[in-house]
């Protein structure tokens, strides 16, 4: 570690220097990128101008005239023009060229095109490359211009190409030079006519012909050339040797070998286009094809127009079109080489052409094709997410801070190694986040549309809020290693201050209070007195307190809980005061762990975390695994623990010990706010009292159990905190240190999240509903700035609070409550509505229900979102413009909708059938009855029952004597509720029978008051962000699955074998799915089996008799049956199943 | 009745079948249109392009969409597509000067200069037809002025601009260029000067143009020495003149010269000294028409010392016609330059007053210059003597060898005087001989060989000489064929950039009666 430290500093210093050096450019990136985008547009404009010039120069009434070739017209030129017209979006010229081509060149008996024309057809033969290009252009035009008629014309051409221009051998399909080639003694194949990208497109429209084979054979031809014949360059033409049935470089008769020249140039572009369109995995081949050109360029700095196949120059004239086609291929494999060719050759050639200087027709075309390919204008219009094209990737790339972002991500992973990396990560991440906000405020605000400024500014403020909460979190938790748990100073035996345990109660049930009193009484500490502070003035509460030896104090019914406590302060005199909520059960060691801190005379209070033994609403709604932390765990452990490091932990309402002198100095708990806890802490700290946080679960309670109670709780917290924020803002509180001020400010400030959430929700709807623009920016540019922000803000939180991942969860937590809380914010203006409301707890429901009242805001928001999304989708589909903007806003709204839906799932409450929560605790158990004994280990336990896991899968008697090996041991009768197999073992649920008060007390002490129960409560929590996100998504899916309403008392074993059933009238073969001691499950096909009949089932192990108990049609002709044994099942010796035991039982 | 039902059914059918389509089409179009407008307003041109493209797909002639589409393309930076769209728009709607001008300006781009220039001018004309925008007219005219073929139209356009904006610097600049194209250098310079005054800063090309136009117009001062020798007695006369001449173009259309000096003449018996003042001015109305004027006053001759010349010049490349009137001193007269008295009769300097027309033209490589003239000669103590005649000169280049440049010349001169007043001879009553060369008919024809020799870059020398065969019909005597001659030599040396030295010597011999040698030397300092 000692050696790692300097290294860490060195690395970090280097990174920081890099960041600082780059910072100006990062913030100036806007200017650079504007230039980049401008350049891209300029290049597009040049491309367009090249086409305009070509049209004006070479196209006369739809006829492409090669002025530099004696004014002839070729089908190749017509094909090129049609492709260029499609890719230029020039419908007018496409129609004109196609009309001329049809009229003058499609004059053969088939659908192919005569290849040469000048005043009249000079040759009726066809050229395959031109026919392919024309057919492709028609297919693309059908897509580009939404004219299916073009595709029909293309299909006719494709049939002719297939029949007349492809050579079908036994094992291959070769593309010949034209209609004439197939009939030659040795058919000619033009290498440059191979167009695999076109065949791939043809395959999508022409199902009648296997075009995929043509692709394979096209590449096979190229592989044969480069890999077997080892040519440096492809020849213009090849031959198919009918005698050997193989390809040949030499003419089989005269032995002549074609060389590389103009005719072969296009092959490089065609292979490049295939790679660009379909990512063909032919990289090595493409690299091989480029090898010669790279060598030649390095050696001579130029490429000539004629070579032998081994690369010997046969000309001194530069092959200008070759630069273009090779550049296109190089762009796929060797971008540097492509860039060199562009800079050194193509740019000048293009400039020359645009200046109107004489440029040959062929070069004109290839300059355009090459440039269009590099600008991504050459498309097949069937791309995945093609509607987003043209995505300005260059603009995105230029604006995206690749280097800094990469460094930041790397630092994120390194942050766990050393705090120095954390600092570096935070610097980089915050730089990028501030860069985004900087860019947003100065470049993207909508100052044009009516209301636009308010919309866009509010979004910016919400984004600033998001970042500011992270910054404030940084202040709260700091950087560096987590502080060690607080250790109390050494004490002497004489140090035993008197302790008053105050348990305020208002509307909670006595049963809950009873458990707390059991725990409080069991606390192992001598000089303690217990007080029940009853604001409800109930007699049964007084009686209950009396039963447990606690003093009963009637509350003043003023100022809610704080008033109740202050009133008690006047009635008590203990040196220390412990406050427990009614539902918070302390463990026996609570005072032992906390009181010693008060050796320090300036210690004002000691807080313990809130630990909840029931599931929060999210865990319950999503049926999460027990390893998912409670929603409040992060605050109760991570944040409070980190604040402890600098003495900033604060009172959270319960489970805390106060020095009376400290409270007295404040004249009691603060009454200004309904969240008296944080306000009181604030002033204790302001008066110089210290605080400590003991990060051990020393008191356990109940968290809000349904959405309504959750909202009550959160509303109280929010309003209370905002009261303090506006009336006694800690930033201006005298006596507080700076960090305390900011720390308290952060805690209060957090409760503005409903505003931010509502803004994030409504912002995309402005566009979808009203076409208002919250952000003025190209989507590509916006993403370049936004993505780092979106990624890094959660990562910053993750780094600041390692081990407490909340990826996606925080969205669900906050979305669920943001709408009602947002509405409640207006209650600040109406103080009379801000009464203290106790969080309802201990609820029991047996059915799944939907809380319409609590979710009204969510429902309205969801409905609005759905309507807006519906409208947006309709416009997206029907009108088909601004697709990138629609896509962005629809995606945003969809994400919001998921959050809203998740919130609604919280409102769609799962049944809470158990009155008592089950707590995971392993207790050795023994089940006994007459002649039957089973040992096991409890899996979880509650005050009313227990479950155990055992390898025993046979049936268990309905009533057993249960002995728990606790201290002291505990015995009672228990009823088997279910017994089901789980992963090769069995799980058994037992309910205690005839439970009395003593029994219940014992269970409270065993379960709740035992510190061991909670000592490892968080050890198995999920620590991975991705895993947490996965759990959330799985939970969302799981929450929609139907509830399992019934469980079996006897485990069923899967069998899956065919058996024969004999009924009175039928004999039928069915699938035996499973079997238990009491019955079987079957799957039958065809008509249903008769019910209420005895069946004889014939299996290989013998015959047995069963009676049908249910049948269900699960698919047409497929039935699921259940049957119970009507005789002793030879498969389970000793069992005598009864109807009762085999009937599925509700648990 | 059945028809009513049929019509009603048909109406309902149409309502159901077609109206939704129409409404849907209208709705779709208006939706796209509204999106296009909204996106234009917020300068989201990429989206506006998409919207307007859709409208144009539905309705290719949709005026607003075509127009807005072109604008959106332009603002998005896709200028070529903008141009293409405006081509389509303007082909249908030629009443939109704003777009016409925009399109014309777009086509000014050098990218389109090679093949869209005519369209560019067409769009300017289209716009100007609807809107008289001086700025656009200036641009239009500037393109016209760039080529000689359209320079005249450019002048017309610039003039229209100047009627509304008389001090438009750009218009004057354009006119300067156009006139330069047209060879009207004076006007070019004039407008260049006006442009310079109108604009705070003169563009470089205009400075260059003005500098070009000013070449040859620089102010200059000259020192002049002339000597004259007529040694033939008894009409001998010698003279020397020293003068200084200044030349300046007060305006681009005028060249003014002023010369002052003194001269001294003497013969064997008499001497006369005096000063002289000469004022000349050339007024160039345009390259074709100009007016030259010269007025001199000489103090040395006794009596009327005025001489003048007023000449109108019509100058075309094919022909030059210069009618004029001039009054000049006849030094051949002069024994009586200073005047001699005989019996109370004063004899002195004769003065020719001639009306003439000089016509110069080319026939093939031969340059001909023909000047018929008519007038009279007056001198004190003698009656007016009418004169009519013709002077002609033909010149033809012959050959060029090295630094020599040879040409052949033919001079022809014929004149008729009403009275031969040549023969005053001394007598007891008139001791001093008098008169001037005025035979009844005088025909002089001189075939002459002229040569020019370039010594080096700064010096050249020319010489022309030939024998004269002359016919002199003196009424008092029989007509005679006589032999005379003519020779001319000149030497020019450019001493330095401002200094020029020129020396010319002329020798004329008419028969045996008249010999004249005249030498002139000029030392010129030009204020570049």
């Amino acid at each position: 570690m000692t050696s790692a430290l300097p290294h860490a500093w060195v690395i970090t210093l280097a990174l920081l220097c890099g960041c600082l050096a780059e910072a100006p450019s990062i913030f100036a990136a806007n200017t650079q990128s504007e230039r980049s985008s401008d350049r891209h547009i300029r290049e597009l404009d040049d491309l367009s101008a090249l086409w305009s010039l070509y049209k004006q120069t070479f196209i006369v009434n739809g006829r492409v005239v090669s002025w530099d070739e004696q004014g002839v017209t070729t089908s190749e030129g017509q094909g090129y023009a049609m492709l260029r017209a499609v890719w230029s979006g020039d419908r007018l010229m496409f129609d004109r060229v196609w009309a001329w081509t049809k009229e003058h060149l499609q004059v053969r008996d088939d659908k192919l095109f005569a290849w040469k024309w000048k005043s009249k057809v000079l040759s009726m033969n066809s050229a395959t490359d031109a026919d392919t290009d024309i057919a492709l252009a028609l297919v693309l035009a059908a897509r580009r211009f939404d004219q299916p008629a073009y595709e029909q014309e293309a299909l006719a051409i494709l049939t002719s190409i297939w029949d007349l221009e492809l050579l079908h051998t036994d094992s291959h399909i070769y593309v010949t030079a034209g209609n004439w080639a197939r009939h030659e003694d040795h058919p000619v194949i033009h290498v440059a006519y191979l167009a695999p990208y076109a065949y791939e497109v043809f395959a999508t429209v022409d199902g009648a012909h296997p075009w995929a084979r043509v692709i394979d054979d096209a590449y096979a031809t190229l592989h044969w050339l480069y890999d077997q014949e080892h040519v440096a360059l492809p020849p213009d033409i090849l031959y198919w040797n009918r005698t050997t049935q193989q390809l040949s470089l030499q003419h089989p008769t005269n032995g002549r070998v074609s060389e590389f020249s103009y005719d072969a140039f296009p092959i490089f572009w065609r292979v490049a286009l295939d790679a660009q369109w379909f990512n063909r995995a032919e990289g090595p081949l493409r690299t091989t094809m480029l090898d010669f050109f790279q060598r030649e360029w390095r050696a001579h700095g130029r490429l000539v127009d004629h070579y032998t196949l081994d690369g010997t120059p046969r000309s001194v004239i530069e092959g200008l079109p070759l630069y273009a086609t090779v550049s296109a291929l190089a762009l796929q494999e060797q971008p540097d080489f492509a860039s060199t060719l562009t800079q050194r050759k193509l740019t000048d050639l293009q400039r020359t052409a645009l200046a109107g200087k004489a440029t040959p027709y062929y070069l004109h075309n290839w300059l355009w094709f090459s440039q269009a390919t590099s600008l991504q204008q050459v498309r097949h219009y069937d791309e995945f997410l093609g509607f987003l094209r043209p995505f300005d990737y260059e603009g995105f790339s230029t604006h995206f801070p690749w280097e800094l972002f990469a460094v930041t991500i790397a630092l994120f992973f390194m942050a766990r190694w050393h705090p120095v990396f954390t600092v570096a990560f935070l610097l980089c991440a915050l730089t990028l986040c501030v860069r985004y906000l900087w860019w947003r405020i100065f470049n993207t605000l909508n100052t044009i549309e009516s209301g636009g400024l308010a919309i866009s500014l509010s979004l910016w403020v919400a984004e600033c809020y998001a970042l500011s909460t992270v910054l404030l979190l940084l202040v709260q938790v700091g950087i560096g290693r987590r502080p060690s748990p607080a250790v109390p100073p050494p004490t002497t035996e004489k140090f035993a201050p008197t302790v008053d345990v105050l348990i305020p109660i208002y509307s909670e049930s006595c049963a809950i209070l009873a458990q707390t009193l059991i725990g409080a009484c069991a606390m192992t500490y001598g000089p303690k007195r217990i007080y029940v502070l009853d604001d409800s003035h109930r007699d049964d509460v007084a009686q209950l307190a009396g039963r447990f030896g606690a003093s009963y104090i009637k509350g003043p019914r003023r100022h809610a809980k704080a008033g109740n406590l202050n009133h008690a302060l006047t009635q008590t005199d203990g040196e220390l005061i412990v406050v427990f909520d009614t539902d918070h059960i302390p463990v026996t060691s609570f005072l032992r762990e906390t009181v010693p801190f008060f050796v320090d005379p300036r210690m004002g209070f000691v807080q313990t975390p809130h630990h909840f033994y029931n599931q929060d609403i999210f865990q319950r709604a999503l049926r999460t695994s027990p390893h998912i932390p409670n929603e409040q765990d992060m605050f109760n452990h991570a944040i409070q623990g980190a604040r402890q490091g600098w003495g900033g932990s604060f009172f959270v309402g319960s489970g805390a010990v106060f020095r009376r002198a400290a409270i007295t100095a404040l004249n009691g708990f603060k009454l200004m706010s309904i969240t008296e806890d944080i306000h009181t802490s604030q002033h204790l700290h302001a008066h110089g009292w210290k605080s400590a946080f003991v990060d051990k679960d020393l008191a356990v309670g109940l968290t809000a159990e349904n959405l309504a109670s959750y909202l009550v709780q959160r509303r109280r917290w929010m309003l209370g905190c905002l009261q303090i924020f506006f009336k006694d803002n800690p930033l201006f509180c005298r006596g507080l240190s700076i960090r305390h001020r900011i720390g308290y400010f952060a805690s209060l400030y957090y409760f503005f999240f409903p505003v931010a959430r509502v803004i994030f929700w409504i912002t995309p709807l402005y566009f979808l509903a009203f076409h208002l623009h919250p952000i003025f920016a190209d989507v590509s540019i916006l993403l370049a700035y936004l993505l780092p922000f979106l990624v890094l803000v959660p990562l910053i939180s993750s780094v600041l609070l390692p081990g407490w991942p909340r990826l996606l969860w925080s969205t669900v937590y906050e979305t669920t409550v943001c709408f009602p809380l947002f509405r409640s914010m207006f209650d600040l203006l109406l103080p009379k509505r801000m009464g203290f409301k106790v969080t309802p707890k201990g609820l029991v429901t047996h059915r799944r229900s939907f809380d319409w009242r609590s979710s009204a805001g969510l429902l309205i928001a969801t409905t609005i979102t759905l309507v807006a999304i519906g409208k947006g989708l309709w416009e997206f589909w029907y009108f088909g413009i601004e697709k990138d903007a629609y896509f962005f806003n629809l995606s945003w709204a969809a994400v919001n909708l998921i959050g809203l839906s998740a919130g609604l799932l919280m409102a769609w409450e799962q049944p809470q059938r158990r009155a008592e929560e089950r707590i995971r605790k392993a207790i050795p158990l023994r089940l006994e009855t007459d002649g039957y004994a089973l040992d096991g280990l409890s899996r979880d336990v509650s005050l009313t029952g227990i479950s155990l896991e055992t390898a025993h899968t046979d049936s268990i008697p309905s009533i057993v004597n249960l002995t728990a090996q606790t201290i002291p041991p505990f015995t009672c009768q228990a009823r088997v509720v279910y017994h089901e197999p789980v992963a090769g073992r069995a799980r058994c649920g037992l309910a205690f029978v005839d439970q009395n008060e003593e029994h219940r007390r014992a269970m409270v002490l065993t379960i709740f008051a035992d510190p061991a129960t909670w000592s490892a409560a968080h050890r198995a929590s999920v620590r991975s962000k991705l895993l947490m996100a996965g759990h959330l998504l799985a939970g969302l899916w799981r929450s929609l699955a139907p509830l399992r309403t019934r469980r079996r008392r006897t485990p069923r074993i899967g069998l899956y074998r065919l058996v024969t059933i004999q009924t009175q009238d039928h004999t039928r073969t069915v699938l035996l799915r499973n079997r238990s001691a009491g019955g079987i499950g079957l799957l039958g096909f065809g008509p249903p089996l008769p019910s209420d009949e005895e069946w004889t089932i014939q299996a290989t192990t013998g015959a047995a008799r069963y009676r049908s108990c249910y049948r269900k049609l699960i698919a047409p002709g497929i039935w699921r049956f259940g049957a119970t044994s009507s005789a002793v099942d030879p498969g389970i010796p000793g069992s005598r199943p009864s109807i009762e035991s085999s009937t599925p039982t509700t648990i | 009745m059945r028809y009513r039902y049929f019509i009603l059914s048909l109406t309902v059918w149409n309502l159901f079948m077609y109206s939704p389509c129409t409404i849907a089409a209208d709705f779709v179009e208006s939706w796209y249109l509204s999106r296009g407008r909204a996106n234009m307003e917020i300068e989201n041109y990429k989206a506006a392009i998409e919207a307007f493209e859709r409208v144009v797909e539905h309705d290719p002639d949709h005026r607003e969409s075509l127009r807005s589409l072109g604008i959106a393309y332009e603002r998005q930076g896709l200028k070529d597509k903008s141009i293409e769209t405006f081509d389509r728009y303007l082909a249908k709607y030629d009443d939109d000067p704003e777009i016409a001008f925009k399109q014309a300006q777009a086509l000014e781009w050098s990218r389109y200069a090679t093949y869209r220039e005519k369209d560019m001018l067409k769009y300017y004309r289209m716009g100007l037809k609807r809107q008289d925008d001086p700025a656009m007219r200036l641009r239009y005219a500037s393109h016209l002025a760039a080529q000689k073929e359209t320079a005249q139209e450019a002048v017309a356009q610039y003039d229209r601009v100047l009627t509304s904006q008389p001090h438009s610097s750009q218009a004057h600049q354009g006119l300067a260029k156009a006139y330069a194209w047209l060879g009207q250098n004076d006007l070019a310079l004039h407008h260049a000067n006006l442009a310079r005054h109108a604009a705070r800063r003169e563009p470089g090309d205009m400075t260059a143009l003005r500098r070009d136009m000013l070449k040859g117009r620089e102010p200059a001062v000259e020192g002049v020495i002339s000597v004259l020798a007529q040694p033939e007695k008894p009409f001998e006369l010698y003279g020397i003149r020293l003068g200084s001449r200044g030349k300046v173009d007060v305006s681009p259309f005028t060249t003014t010269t002023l010369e002052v000096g003194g001269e001294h003449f003497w013969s064997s018996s008499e001497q006369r000294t005096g000063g002289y003042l000469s004022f000349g001015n050339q007024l160039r109305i345009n390259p074709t028409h100009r007016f030259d004027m010269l007025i001199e006053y000489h103090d040395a001759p006794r009596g009327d010392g005025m001489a003048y010349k007023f000449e109108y010049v019509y100058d075309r490349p094919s022909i030059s016609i210069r009618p004029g009137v001039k009054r000049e001193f006849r030094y051949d007269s002069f024994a009586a330059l200073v005047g001699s008295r005989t019996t109370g009769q004063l004899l002195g300097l004769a003065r020719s007053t001639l009306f003439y027309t000089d016509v110069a033209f080319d026939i093939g490589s031969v340059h001909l210059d023909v000047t018929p003239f008519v007038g009279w000669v007056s001198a004190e103590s003698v009656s007016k003597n009418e004169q009519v005649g013709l002077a002609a000169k033909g010149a033809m280049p012959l050959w060029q060898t090295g630094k020599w440049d040879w040409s052949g010349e033919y001079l022809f001169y014929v004149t008729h005087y009403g009275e031969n007043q040549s023969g005053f001879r001394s007598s007891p009553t008139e001791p001093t001989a008098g008169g001037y060369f005025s035979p009844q008919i005088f025909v002089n024809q001189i075939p002459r060989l002229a040569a020019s020799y370039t010594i080096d870059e700064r010096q050249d020398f020319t010489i022309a000489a030939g024998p004269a065969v002359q016919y002199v019909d003196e009424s008092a005597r029989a007509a005679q064929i006589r032999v005379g001659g003519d020779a001319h030599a000149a030497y020019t040396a450019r001493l330095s950039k401002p200094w020029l030295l020129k020396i010319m010597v002329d020798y004329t011999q008419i028969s045996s009666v008249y010999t004249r040698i005249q030498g002139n030397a000029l030392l010129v300092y030009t204020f570049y």
Side-chain angles (χ1 to χ4, degrees), chain A residues 426 429 504 537 969:
Chain A
L426 290 174
H537 300 184

Side-chain angles (χ1 to χ4, degrees), chain B residues 313-331:
Chain B
V313 180
Y314 173 79
D315 195 6
R316 303 284 293 176
S318 55
I319 189 167
S320 168
I321 303 171
R322 298 191 293 172
V325 56
K326 61 184 177 184
R327 185 175 193 243
E328 59 189 7
F329 300 149
R330 298 276 303 247
Y331 293 104

Side-chain angles (χ1 to χ4, degrees), chain A residues 7-23 26 403-415 417-429 431:
Chain A
H7 281 97
W9 277 109
V10 168
I11 294 170
T12 307
L13 199 63
L15 288 169
L16 286 178
C17 287
C19 286
L20 288 173
E22 199 179 349
I26 288 169
E403 294 85 1
L404 187 56
F405 185 71
V407 167
T408 310
I409 295 297
L411 285 169
F412 168 72
F413 290 108
M414 294 159 68
W417 298 352
H418 197 277
V420 174
F421 293 126
T422 307
V423 173
F425 165 76
L426 290 174
L427 273 174
C428 295
T431 301

Side-chain angles (χ1 to χ4, degrees), chain A residues 117-318:
Chain A
W117 191 95
K118 186 176 181 183
S119 303
K120 62 179 182 179
V121 172
L122 300 180
S123 170
M124 287 294 280
N125 282 331
S126 68
T128 307
D129 63 334
D131 298 339
T132 305
D133 288 341
I134 291 171
L136 178 66
L138 286 166
V139 174
L140 301 186
R143 295 172 178 174
R144 175 72 176 79
F145 305 129
D146 196 21
Q147 286 293 317
Y150 290 137
E151 189 170 304
Q152 294 307 313
E153 294 184 284
L155 284 172
I157 299 168
L158 290 181
T159 302
S160 292
I161 291 175
W162 187 270
D163 293 340
L164 303 173
E165 294 185 326
L166 301 187
L167 177 66
H168 303 269
T169 68
D170 291 342
S171 54
H172 296 288
I173 301 173
Y174 292 111
V175 180
T176 66
N179 66 305
W180 46 274
R182 288 188 314 145
H183 306 296
E184 293 201 326
D185 292 341
H186 305 291
V188 173
I189 295 169
H190 274 255
V191 175
Y193 288 9
L194 303 175
Y197 57 93
Y199 311 143
E200 189 76 57
V201 173
F202 296 160
T204 62
V205 296
D206 180 15
H209 303 107
W211 287 99
R213 287 184 58 199
V214 188
I215 301 171
D216 295 340
D217 285 323
Y219 274 105
T221 304
L222 292 174
H223 278 291
W224 172 79
L225 272 171
Y226 282 97
D227 300 339
Q228 293 184 34
E229 298 296 323
H230 300 291
V231 296
L233 293 160
D236 287 348
I237 54 176
L238 301 172
Y239 304 94
W240 169 253
N241 189 325
R242 286 195 192 277
T243 311
T244 61
Q245 291 286 298
Q246 287 187 339
L247 292 171
S248 171
L249 283 173
Q250 298 176 319
H251 190 281
T253 307
N254 60 28
R256 195 170 58 234
V257 177
S258 173
E259 295 186 336
F260 173 81
S261 186
Y262 280 90
D263 282 350
F265 287 0
I267 186 60
F268 306 107
W269 178 80
R270 294 188 193 279
V271 171
L273 189 57
D274 192 45
Q276 190 181 78
W277 279 7
F278 303 112
N279 297 314
R280 194 82 60 195
E282 293 286 356
L285 173 66
R286 292 191 289 269
T287 305
T288 306
M289 292 174 79
L290 284 169
D291 281 348
F292 167 77
F293 297 114
Q294 285 188 297
R295 287 198 307 272
E296 186 73 359
W297 179 264
R298 278 197 295 268
H300 303 106
R302 67 202 296 267
L303 305 175
V304 298
D305 64 354
H306 194 171
Y307 291 95
T308 60
L309 298 192
D310 62 359
T312 306
R314 297 293 295 269
S315 165
V316 293
I317 300 169
E318 275 190 296

Side-chain angles (χ1 to χ4, degrees), chain A residues 45-46 48 52 88 879, chain B residues 32 39 54 79-81 111:
Chain A
D45 189 43
D46 287 348
S48 177
S52 294
S88 298
F879 294 110
Chain B
Y32 284 126
N39 281 308
R54 294 301 180 103
K79 295 175 184 170
D80 187 71
K81 286 204 175 277
R111 170 183 285 179

